[in-house]
Amino acid sequence: MKNKKIFALMAIALLGTTAMGSFSACGGGAGGGLGGGTIIEDSSYDETKANLSVATFDGGVGREWLLDAIKRFEAKYATATHFEAGKTGVSISLDGDKNKYGGNKLAESGNLNKDVYFTEAVEYYTFVNNGLVADITDVVTGSMSDYGESGTIEDKLDGTIKEFMTKKDGKYYMLPFYDGFYGLIYDVELFEEEGFYFDNEGDFIKIGNYDSAAEFNAAKANGPDGKDGTYDDGLPATYDQMITLCDEIVAKGFVPFMYSGNYPVYVNRAFYGYATDYEGYDAYSQNNTMTGTLKVAKSVTPKAGTMEADIEFENVELTQANGYELQRQAGKYYALAMQEALFGTSKYIGGSYNGLDYTVAQGEFIKSKYSAKRYAMLAEGVWWENEANPTFVEIETLKAEKKSDRRFAFMPVPKVNAEAAGDQTMFSINSSFGFINKNCSNMKLAKEFMRFLHTDAEMSKFTAKTSITRSLQYEVSAEDRATATPYGQSIIDMRQKAKVVYPFSAADIVTKNQANFEKDTWCGLADKGDGKGLNNAFKAFKDGKATAKEFFNGLWIYQKGKWNTLVK
């Protein structure tokens, strides 16, 4: 018998000086995310047990969650004999590598040599139509009573996702992986130290006026949700308050935003959520369904001195023949207007535009606590905390401050005005899935492993470990929430109240023209009508090539001009 061996290698460059300015800013190495590095998997296996091989895209989500889950699964089935004749127990090997296991690379090669995969950048029907993945309908629709649950995995799926995945033949071949939220992350410590919270009078809280944390929190005004005593209290409730906050941060000598100049698309994506939240779940979901009565902006007139605008609305009966009318949704204008106000000049980013890689930007944001230029917020994806793990390790070495000691949180999207207060609608951008290789060596074991990973208990532990939610409906237990970082707890609290729009559609015009409806095309390509296309709102505002209103009008012009070229 040969014993399976998995070695985790991590290279962390620690500095020989205690000067924080000398930090080396880097990503998670070949694996990135939680722990970084790449797992090197021994090709041998345990001959006495049923064996399964698993691969994962070891990026922002990392692999520690999967290693932990594997240990729990192996322990649960340590005496099982039904997975393979003559063998007792199970042995699962894991290979985590973002260079090998991205969805696009797997689809291009068609060479799936592992049994189970969890990855991102997946074109669902490319895998399905090419016969690369196993039918797991029985896993998705089967009873979960043996795991103490009353329903099925299918019951946990968003309706849009179910319709998309079963469009071909009514069967399921994959399960959605994790939510891909982009937005603004804020430094809770700085906000508390400087009183960057609003009180009920619309003023900033006076730090010295309160004798306890309870009094301080009680003084905070209702946030965007309009409710007292919730996760967003004291934060900007409206677009105008967001501008006021940034002005206050600058006035006190801090910089409102850190971002990656090398990946300005992250800033663009942070504001896609503004459009989604303004429209709400039903209206923004029309970008997927392309049916129903659509409320659009006939004209937009920005108001001086405020982020609000005078908008004349009209209703359009939406079909796949006129889907370009979706580009006139007012939420898309407001998202662009907020982005232009906050990132259209260098006022709120320190006086000049940067050219930083995203991992460098993450590191600068974290370590600015110890520098002369402190940043209040970061424009990033929900997984940023995992990718920044090397910086947290360096800080712990040099400053004896653990990752779990730092308090960051995801900034809820403010409303266009106070009358629009309510729970958030969020936009999950990425296309990530878990699936089983059609040529899996032990299908029975693989399917049971998938069932196990999609129990409420395991998805709860995933979120607590990664600070990222799964793209299914489940509750994070109080016990698991207590083990999450402060940032992770903010994600849990926000996601629990929100509705989420996913970028999946069963409409023929979308499925036949996937490239046109990819997030940064559908949400980001515009034409001013002068023959000079605009392909990035961040750059258009930075270079003075378009205003928010011009870019908004250009979204409609671009799509209307392209519509007749799409495959019907």
Side-chain angles (χ1 to χ4, degrees), residues 368-556:
S368 73
K369 177 179 178 178
Y370 303 101
S371 70
K373 182 185 288 187
R374 189 166 183 181
Y375 297 94
M377 291 173 277
L378 170 71
E380 251 285 1
V382 66
W383 44 78
W384 78 279
E385 190 183 51
N386 296 329
E387 288 183 329
N389 201 52
T391 298
F392 285 114
V393 172
E394 291 181 59
I395 288 178
E396 183 174 357
T397 300
L398 298 175
K399 293 293 183 179
E401 184 175 49
K402 297 180 180 179
K403 177 180 179 179
S404 58
D405 295 332
R406 294 299 298 272
R407 291 187 296 144
F408 301 103
F410 206 94
M411 175 75 74
V413 173
K415 308 297 181 180
V416 65
N417 54 42
E419 289 70 35
D423 289 331
Q424 280 200 91
T425 302
M426 305 176 72
F427 183 44
S428 180
I429 292 177
N430 66 310
S431 179
S432 61
F433 289 92
F435 56 87
I436 299 174
N437 185 349
K438 186 176 183 179
N439 298 315
C440 172
S441 61
N442 192 324
M443 191 64 70
K444 187 174 184 178
L445 177 56
K447 287 187 173 182
E448 192 58 50
F449 186 54
M450 289 292 279
R451 292 181 71 239
F452 175 80
L453 291 179
H454 291 83
T455 60
D456 288 353
E458 282 302 313
M459 290 192 292
S460 174
K461 293 185 184 304
F462 169 92
T463 296
K465 172 68 74 172
T466 65
S467 299
I468 302 169
T469 49
R470 293 291 308 272
S471 299
L472 300 94
Q473 294 296 323
Y474 62 99
E475 294 288 334
V476 177
S477 71
E479 180 181 13
D480 288 336
R481 182 187 181 282
T483 67
T485 65
Y487 170 71
Q489 291 178 1
S490 81
I491 296 295
I492 292 167
D493 294 345
M494 185 171 60
R495 178 64 180 87
Q496 183 178 1
K497 301 291 185 181
K499 290 184 178 180
V500 178
V501 177
Y502 292 98
F504 303 115
S505 174
D508 287 340
I509 197 164
V510 179
T511 58
K512 293 177 181 179
N513 303 274
Q514 292 185 36
N516 186 64
F517 296 94
E518 189 273 334
K519 55 188 174 291
D520 297 317
T521 300
W522 182 247
C523 300
L525 294 189
D527 185 343
K528 290 176 64 176
D530 57 3
K532 299 178 181 178
L534 302 170
N535 61 8
N536 187 307
F538 181 93
K539 291 182 179 179
F541 299 150
K542 170 179 175 288
D543 297 336
K545 292 183 178 180
T547 64
K549 181 179 177 179
E550 290 171 335
F551 202 100
F552 170 66
N553 290 334
L555 292 173
W556 181 85

Side-chain angles (χ1 to χ4, degrees), residues 181-319:
F181 303 133
Y182 285 81
L184 305 175
I185 293 87
Y186 69 100
D187 186 335
V188 177
E189 297 166 48
L190 179 62
F191 272 55
E192 290 184 351
E193 292 165 6
E194 299 297 328
F196 291 143
Y197 292 100
F198 291 93
D199 63 20
N200 287 316
E201 304 303 319
D203 299 319
F204 289 102
I205 287 179
K206 306 297 188 296
I207 297 297
N209 290 0
Y210 307 99
D211 296 327
S212 67
E215 284 188 16
F216 179 82
N217 289 326
K220 296 176 181 176
N222 296 343
D225 68 2
K227 302 171 186 176
D228 185 40
T230 58
Y231 68 93
D232 66 358
D233 286 357
L235 296 171
T238 67
Y239 291 176
D240 285 341
Q241 281 195 337
M242 187 67 179
I243 302 298
T244 300
L245 169 64
C246 291
D247 287 337
E248 179 72 0
I249 292 170
V250 170
K252 286 197 170 184
F254 303 101
V255 181
F257 298 109
M258 169 53 69
Y259 69 99
S260 168
N262 279 0
Y263 289 85
V265 68
Y266 283 18
V267 176
N268 295 336
R269 292 174 184 175
F271 289 92
Y272 296 168
Y274 278 66
T276 308
D277 185 67
Y278 175 90
E279 296 294 338
Y281 181 85
D282 291 338
Y284 203 79
S285 291
Q286 289 182 282
N287 286 269
N288 297 326
T289 63
M290 296 210 171
T291 60
T293 300
L294 177 69
K295 181 180 178 181
V296 297
K298 185 177 181 179
S299 66
V300 175
T301 304
K303 293 181 182 179
T306 177
M307 290 305 301
E308 292 190 63
D310 286 322
I311 300 180
E312 181 184 357
F313 290 98
E314 64 178 340
N315 290 332
V316 174
E317 289 307 310
L318 180 65
T319 69

